[in-house]
Amino acid sequence: MSDFFDNWVVQVRKGVLELCILRALAGRERYGYELVKTLASVPGLALTEGTAYPLLSRLRVAGMIQARLEESAEGPARKYYSLTPEGRRTLAVMNEFLDKLNNGTRSLEK
Amino acid sequence: MNNWTPAASQVWDEYLEQNRARIAASGGDVEEIFGDLRRHVEAELAAQKLPIITEQDVRQALQKLGPLPNVDFTPPVNEKPKPSSGKFTVLGFLLLQFFGVILPFGVLLFELASHACASEMFDPLPTYFHVLLVAVVPVANGLAGWFVQRRKTIPRWLWISNAVAFGISAFYAILFLPTTPFALIGIIFLGFGFIPLAPLCSFLCAWRLRHLLVRHHPESAPRLSRPGWWGAMAAGFLVLSLLAVSTILTRYWIREAANAGNPNPDVIKLLRSFGDREVLLRSCYGQSQSDSFDYMFRTAQRPTPEAVRSVYYRVTGQPFNSVPPPLNKYRGAGQAIREDYEWDEGLGGEAVVGRIKHLSLAQSRMDGAAKPEEGWAYLEWTLEFKNDNTVQAREARAEIQLPPGGVVSRVTLWINGEEREAAFGGRGQVREAYQKIAVQRRRDPVLVTTSGSDRVLVQCFPVPSKGGRMKIRLGITAPLGILGEHSSALRLPCFVERNFGVPASLEHNLWLESPTPVQTGLCHVTQEAIDGKAGVHGGLSEHELTSTNAVLRFGAAPVSSRLLAADPLVPGQFIEQTVTAIPGAKPSRIAIMLDGSRNMTPYYRDIASFLKTIPTATETRIWLEQDQLDLIYDSSWNQVGDPSKRVVNLRGEGGQDNLQGLLHAWDWATEKPGGIVLWIHADQPAQLENFLALQQRLDWRSGSNAPTIVDVPVFPAPNRITQELANLPTVSALPRYGTLPDDLNRLCSQWFGQAHYEYARKPADSDGMQATASAHIVRLWALEQSRQLLRNHKIKEATDCAATHQLVTPVSGAVVLETKAQYDEFGLTPADATTVPSVPEPSTLILGAMAAFAFFVWRRRHGKTRRQALSH
């Protein structure tokens, strides 16, 4: 069972990683290091820091998020990420879809 | 990464290379992801506050990073991935390359080679700096495209170059905006017209490339912050705008100054301080199409070149034709062709006008003889002109300053190697002949007429093209200036104004002989005395010929002589010459008019030292014309002191019109009989104000009580004012036989005590006296006689006297035509070769030749008779 469950978890994580990133940026912009650390601390997500950056790049190329570089006195330059308008719309649609899916799957148990 | 060890950096680089393929397969931007990973690792290491980052530290950080994703980013089935809006397609790249790089670069090269725009509209590349700026655009666009295509990290300088290219192309896009509709029509209907659109295309491409750079490399876009990018763009735009502003303002000030009857002195000062001299000089030649923006604001008020030339003089203090004509108006392949076809606006006219390219003086020699005991010198100045124009024959024109009191008494032209003597006739008569034969029929004449006091205008046309040459000779008879009982001097003739160039290496070869010793201050001239004959010979540069050193001094003067000369052209007439000592005449008032032009600056000290020699009791006023007329000294002012102090530290500015000052000076001097107006000036190449006011005064007051205007040029230069005043008895030029202080002091000495010598020539009976003096004395008398008749309004008698004696005077001229038929057509007769003067004297030469010929003939006849006798 554990193998079956592990495989299923892997597939679920694959599906929600982008959603998690969009949700993390919904409230405010964050710089990359902070965002990755936050995502890495989400229980069950098991996101490695090395995995996060390719995802972020993919989302930026898709136009869901935008980035800007800002010099920092405390260390290397910080790259700040935020949602684009397209990203917000997509997040809303994804949230709606996920809610529907969740409600739908729960209704299957009745 | 400054504190990373080399081993640490190597570990990082290896990590990137090992994972490049995996990252590329993740669907993200490889360089962006690597950049993010680097920043993450640096942030991790920075949190540990390690002074040095070692290999081990990097490995630990990478381990903490965790594995990179092994994610398949496969697009859904039956659904093609939508291209990113920032993706750089092949077609887009090619279009950007063509319109952003190839087109502007090609147009730049085309304009440099042909200057099509410069010749038809305006010059978009007036300087090499403009060329450099325009070249930045295709280079910057090309580099930006390459970086986007290669997905390289964008360096800061690329952002700056993109911004500058954007600004430069924006400037030219605005400049060519009025032509855009026509270009579009040309493209649509004719298939061409991209050239005027090149700036607009470059501008749009630069903007698109900026957009692509930001989209593809957002992490490096903030390296040049938004204000910084716009600042660099503005810098590119403003540099060109500032360069154009100078031209625009100069054009505006030129219009203001040239179209006003009396230009505002403030406008002249602005032109002096900030005006573009190149633009001003081009406008003197009517080249007004060469400036950016000017073609957009053309109005009907464009000033004429003549008006602009006056402005040029006021601004610079130089005649416009004293500097080489503007270069490179037509550059590239069309230059030679266009320059060869440039029209000579002064052809056949009565002024020298502008310099003609490719026309030059090829050779010059001056041969002369002087006889101080008789008080004359005769010079023959041979000039050879050369024309390197490939198409057009040209007219060589020059105004020549003669020695004081001199006259042109011979003109010769070489035609096919043969010498042809000029015909002397009425001034209008010879000019008509010249214009019809030379200008209209393009044959070979020379014309010499007077152009003011002691000045002549020489014109010869056509000087053949393709290196063709034309050779002429002027014979000049001149009285020697008597400086003392045993001292006389001769000022050599020189060019005052010319439309041809004189190469720096050219020398005027001088050779003059005299029975008495000759001295000179010329550097490269040898003085010698051999077998009772003295002389000088050597080469003079053009500069030396116009300097105060171009004076020959003789150790004798005809002070106590009564000479009688036979008139070679009027049998039975004899002319007597004596020299009279004239006592000094103290002027009642001295009105000094000082020219405030720039070229006067070196002479103010000399003038100041002269002012000290004027007795303080003499009523004296000094006016200075320097953009406005000021009375700077009046002897009646209390506690004024030394007038020299008012002058010694003066500095000239630009070019000044002295007419107003002359009027004031004359009005004051005329209040008392015996007043003097002393006018000390530099060149006056333009008649700037209304001259009639002065002429009216001189016409009404010409008697013995009228003031005398003493004209004192500080160096030989054009003078349009005295040109109009020539032959008036109340205007005289100060003979220049030395430096300015020497000549002014001599004048002052004559005023206040020292006698000076004057020639007196008149017809006389021989009274049994042998007429042994030279015919030159007769010529000098004829000159005076002709002038006197002219003053008495006896024009015909004056013309007849001058023409009979073969002299160029205010009423007569000399013209050389090609054939007898041409002479007959205009009622002229060329001078007989036996009656023209030469070096040595013709009587000696012809006597010798006749004697030799007679001996030859006698020998042949005698020999034949003997042979016949012997044969019988």
Side-chain angles (χ1 to χ4, degrees):
Chain A
M1 188 189 75
S2 67
D3 289 338
F4 177 80
F5 178 72
D6 291 341
N7 289 334
W8 179 79
V9 166
V10 167
Q11 297 304 316
V12 170
R13 285 173 185 153
K14 274 188 185 176
V16 300
L17 278 174
E18 287 94 341
L19 177 62
C20 292
I21 291 174
L22 293 179
R23 281 185 175 176
L25 296 174
R28 61 181 175 89
E29 73 170 3
R30 295 170 185 258
Y31 67 92
Y33 186 77
E34 175 205 2
L35 176 62
V36 166
K37 291 293 187 186
T38 302
L39 290 170
S41 65
V42 171
L45 197 57
L47 178 76
T48 62
E49 293 163 3
T51 308
Y53 290 104
L55 279 172
L56 288 168
S57 177
R58 224 161 62 201
L59 285 170
R60 187 195 62 72
V61 170
M64 299 295 117
I65 64 175
Q66 58 197 5
R68 66 179 181 87
L69 205 61
E70 188 177 291
E71 296 297 331
S72 169
E74 297 157 0
R78 289 181 175 181
K79 191 169 184 180
Y80 285 84
Y81 294 92
S82 57
L83 287 183
T84 63
E86 175 68 17
R88 290 189 187 279
R89 285 193 289 273
T90 306
L91 174 61
V93 169
M94 288 169 78
N95 281 333
E96 185 183 345
F97 176 80
L98 197 60
D99 286 341
K100 278 185 185 173
L101 183 64
N102 207 22
N103 293 335
T105 51
R106 285 195 181 277
S107 71
L108 290 173
E109 290 178 352
K110 294 176 183 173
Chain B
M1 295 174 78
N2 287 344
N3 54 345
W4 285 38
T5 64
S9 300
Q10 190 176 350
V11 167
W12 173 256
D13 292 338
E14 285 171 0
Y15 173 81
L16 292 181
E17 285 311 306
Q18 285 166 7
N19 293 282
R20 180 176 290 276
R22 181 179 289 189
I23 291 296
S26 70
D29 186 310
V30 173
E31 297 303 324
E32 181 186 9
I33 294 170
F34 281 155
D36 293 341
L37 290 172
R38 190 189 76 241
R39 270 187 293 277
H40 186 94
V41 167
E42 285 179 346
E44 285 280 357
L45 294 172
Q48 298 174 39
K49 292 187 173 39
L50 299 170
I52 300 289
I53 308 300
T54 65
E55 173 187 347
Q56 186 61 28
D57 298 326
V58 173
R59 290 191 191 284
Q60 284 176 357
L62 290 175
Q63 200 171 14
K64 198 173 172 187
L65 199 61
L68 293 174
N70 192 14
V71 177
D72 292 330
F73 183 65
T74 310
V77 178
N78 297 327
E79 191 176 326
K80 289 181 185 176
K82 291 179 189 173
S84 162
S85 60
K87 203 169 223 178
F88 206 22
T89 63
V90 173
L91 180 61
F93 174 75
L94 288 175
L95 287 173
L96 279 174
Q97 287 296 100
F98 178 77
F99 287 105
V101 181
I102 296 172
L103 180 62
F105 195 64
V107 168
L108 175 65
L109 291 178
F110 177 75
E111 180 63 21
L112 282 174
S114 69
H115 276 256
C117 184
S119 55
E120 300 303 328
M121 288 198 304
F122 66 95
D123 191 352
L125 306 169
T127 68
Y128 287 114
F129 186 59
H130 285 81
V131 175
L132 191 65
L133 287 177
V134 169
V136 165
V137 173
V139 170
N141 286 348
L143 285 172
W146 186 82
F147 271 86
V148 170
Q149 180 76 352
R150 297 287 186 275
R151 294 177 178 270
K152 292 282 186 187
T153 303
I154 307 301
R156 185 183 177 88
W157 59 263
L158 187 70
W159 291 104
I160 294 174
S161 69
N162 174 254
V164 171
F166 185 78
I168 293 169
S169 52
F171 176 86
Y172 279 98
I174 294 172
L175 205 61
F176 280 89
L177 204 57
T179 64
T180 302
F182 303 103
L184 290 172
I185 292 171
I187 291 169
I188 293 170
F189 291 103
L190 301 172
F192 60 84
F194 281 106
I195 292 175
L197 287 181
L200 183 62
C201 293
S202 310
F203 169 76
L204 294 172
C205 288
W207 179 247
R208 176 64 181 157
L209 283 164
R210 178 185 183 275
H211 183 71
L212 288 172
L213 285 170
V214 170
R215 291 298 295 269
H216 281 270
H217 305 276
E219 74 284 357
S220 59
R223 284 183 188 178
L224 186 67
S225 63
R226 189 176 295 269
W229 189 92
W230 286 102
M233 188 281 293
F237 188 93
L238 283 174
V239 164
L240 284 166
S241 300
L242 286 172
L243 290 172
V245 159
S246 170
T247 303
I248 294 169
L249 283 176
T250 302
R251 290 237 156 268
Y252 173 73
W253 290 328
I254 289 173
R255 280 203 188 98
E256 288 293 302
N259 289 337
N262 194 11
N264 187 335
D266 293 333
V267 174
I268 299 295
K269 284 177 183 169
L270 284 169
L271 275 169
R272 274 191 207 133
S273 301
F274 305 111
D276 188 323
R277 295 288 171 93
E278 176 78 7
V279 170
L280 188 55
L281 183 62
R282 286 185 184 280
S283 300
C284 292
Y285 286 87
Q287 295 176 9
S288 55
Q289 297 169 300
S290 55
D291 310 307
S292 310
F293 288 113
D294 178 70
Y295 83 105
M296 294 165 68
F297 301 105
R298 284 179 185 168
T299 69
Q301 291 183 329
R302 169 162 291 161
T304 62
E306 291 74 23
V308 180
R309 287 164 192 169
S310 299
V311 174
Y312 185 92
Y313 167 67
R314 278 187 189 270
V315 171
T316 66
Q318 284 179 297
F320 82 103
N321 57 0
S322 66
V323 298
L327 295 174
N328 294 328
K329 182 207 171 182
Y330 305 113
R331 283 167 280 183
Q335 173 186 2
I337 297 172
R338 286 179 178 268
E339 283 184 351
D340 281 348
Y341 282 101
E342 271 188 42
W343 171 248
D344 177 9
E345 62 176 286
L347 179 63
E350 298 187 40
V352 172
V353 196
R355 289 277 177 94
I356 300 291
K357 289 178 192 168
H358 309 305
L359 184 65
S360 61
L361 182 66
Q363 294 193 69
S364 167
R365 62 181 280 185
M366 237 182 251
D367 303 277
K371 203 160 185 185
E373 296 80 6
E374 295 187 2
W376 59 265
Y378 176 69
L379 291 166
E380 288 190 342
W381 194 1
T382 304
L383 302 165
E384 189 173 40
F385 304 103
K386 185 182 172 195
N387 178 18
D388 289 316
N389 187 302
T390 58
V391 177
Q392 291 203 82
R394 294 296 193 189
E395 180 187 43
R397 295 186 295 275
E399 187 174 306
I400 292 177
Q401 172 83 56
L402 302 175
V407 63
V408 170
S409 53
R410 184 184 187 185
V411 177
T412 314
L413 169 67
W414 275 261
I415 299 177
N416 299 326
E418 287 184 19
E419 295 183 16
R420 303 286 178 89
E421 297 297 331
F424 290 80
R427 188 188 178 98
Q429 184 184 15
V430 297
R431 179 160 287 284
E432 184 191 0
Y434 176 80
Q435 284 176 335
K436 284 203 173 148
I437 301 298
V439 180
Q440 296 177 18
R441 300 184 205 168
R442 306 184 79 85
R443 305 305 295 183
D444 283 318
V446 174
L447 176 68
V448 180
T449 52
T450 57
S451 178
S453 179
D454 296 336
R455 292 189 177 185
V456 292
L457 177 66
V458 178
Q459 298 168 257
C460 45
F461 179 82
V463 183
S465 59
K466 298 187 179 69
R469 298 189 176 213
M470 195 168 184
K471 185 167 145 185
I472 66 169
R473 175 174 55 210
L474 301 176
I476 302 168
T477 301
L480 296 180
I482 303 176
L483 305 180
E485 224 173 302
H486 303 288
S487 173
S488 55
L490 172 71
R491 173 71 171 92
L492 294 174
C494 62
F495 294 120
V496 165
E497 207 176 353
R498 49 184 165 82
N499 75 335
F500 49 84
V502 177
S505 57
L506 182 127
E507 285 190 335
H508 301 278
N509 298 293
L510 171 68
W511 193 293
L512 182 138
E513 288 188 345
S514 162
T516 53
V518 185
Q519 289 180 336
T520 178
L522 292 165
C523 295
H524 303 106
V525 169
T526 305
Q527 304 162 32
E528 60 185 14
I530 300 174
D531 295 334
K533 271 196 171 179
V536 291
H537 61 88
L540 284 71
S541 66
E542 173 67 8
H543 173 74
E544 283 179 299
L545 194 59
T546 56
S547 71
T548 52
N549 288 329
V551 173
L552 305 179
R553 293 176 184 273
F554 304 92
V559 170
S560 52
S561 312
R562 175 180 176 263
L563 300 168
L564 194 68
D567 192 330
L569 294 159
V570 179
Q573 175 163 270
F574 298 91
I575 302 299
E576 173 192 82
Q577 175 182 285
T578 53
V579 172
T580 312
I582 308 293
K586 180 181 164 185
S588 59
R589 284 182 167 180
I590 303 176
I592 301 176
M593 171 56 214
L594 277 187
D595 182 6
S597 301
R598 188 190 75 158
N599 289 341
M600 287 288 293
T601 303
Y603 300 96
Y604 286 127
R605 282 194 174 271
D606 294 336
I607 296 168
S609 66
F610 155 70
L611 292 174
K612 288 182 181 176
T613 65
I614 299 177
T616 51
T618 309
E619 285 187 60
T620 309
R621 283 188 183 178
I622 305 175
W623 286 265
L624 175 71
E625 177 69 62
Q626 200 163 67
D627 294 333
Q628 62 186 32
L629 185 65
D630 287 323
L631 179 65
I632 62 171
Y633 175 81
D634 189 333
S635 55
S636 65
W637 290 345
N638 292 329
Q639 299 172 348
V640 175
D642 184 3
S644 66
K645 291 180 183 172
R646 301 281 176 156
V647 173
V648 67
N649 292 319
L650 287 177
R651 290 188 63 80
E653 277 192 26
Q656 306 295 335
D657 177 22
N658 292 181
L659 267 174
Q660 196 64 28
L662 280 173
L663 291 175
H664 279 75
W666 192 91
D667 287 342
W668 181 70
T670 203
E671 289 175 4
K672 275 189 178 179
I676 294 281
V677 175
L678 186 67
W679 177 31
I680 309 175
H681 61 88
D683 25 17
Q684 296 281 300
Q687 200 180 91
L688 300 174
E689 290 189 11
N690 189 355
F691 168 77
L692 292 180
L694 179 63
Q695 193 169 43
Q696 186 180 47
R697 285 162 167 80
L698 298 176
D699 286 342
W700 277 98
R701 292 281 186 271
S702 58
S704 56
N705 288 333
T708 301
I709 297 178
V710 180
D711 170 29
V712 185
V714 295
F715 54 82
N719 190 331
R720 296 290 174 261
I721 297 175
T722 54
Q723 199 173 10
E724 301 291 336
L725 301 178
N727 209 47
L728 288 177
T730 52
V731 178
S732 66
L734 177 68
R736 298 298 313 273
Y737 291 118
T739 62
L740 184 64
D742 291 341
D743 292 334
L744 285 173
N745 289 336
R746 190 178 71 246
L747 177 67
C748 197
S749 301
Q750 291 170 7
W751 286 341
F752 297 103
Q754 184 178 334
H756 67 279
Y757 298 96
E758 286 184 5
Y759 293 99
R761 302 184 187 96
K762 61 181 181 181
D765 295 327
S766 64
D767 291 336
M769 180 180 169
Q770 267 202 316
T772 58
S774 166
H776 288 299
I777 290 176
V778 178
R779 295 186 181 97
L780 293 171
W781 166 83
L783 173 65
E784 292 163 0
Q785 180 70 2
S786 177
R787 284 180 175 164
Q788 187 56 45
L789 288 167
L790 178 61
R791 287 186 202 122
N792 296 335
H793 307 289
K794 294 180 179 175
I795 310 287
K796 186 179 181 313
E797 290 86 340
T799 307
D800 289 342
C801 177
T804 300
H805 290 90
Q806 297 169 4
L807 303 174
V808 175
T809 69
V811 290
S812 66
V815 66
V816 181
L817 303 175
E818 199 177 12
T819 64
K820 186 177 181 306
Q822 290 171 356
Y823 283 111
D824 292 341
E825 183 182 345
F826 295 95
L828 294 166
T829 306
D832 190 326
T834 60
T835 63
V836 295
S838 68
V839 181
E841 281 270 53
S843 54
T844 310
L845 190 64
I846 289 175
L847 276 175
M850 287 173 65
F853 180 69
F855 179 72
F856 173 70
V857 170
W858 177 84
R859 281 285 298 175
R860 281 191 62 133
R861 285 183 181 169
H862 185 68
K864 190 176 177 184
T865 304
R866 278 197 66 188
R867 283 195 295 275
Q868 283 173 347
L870 287 172
S871 68
H872 285 83

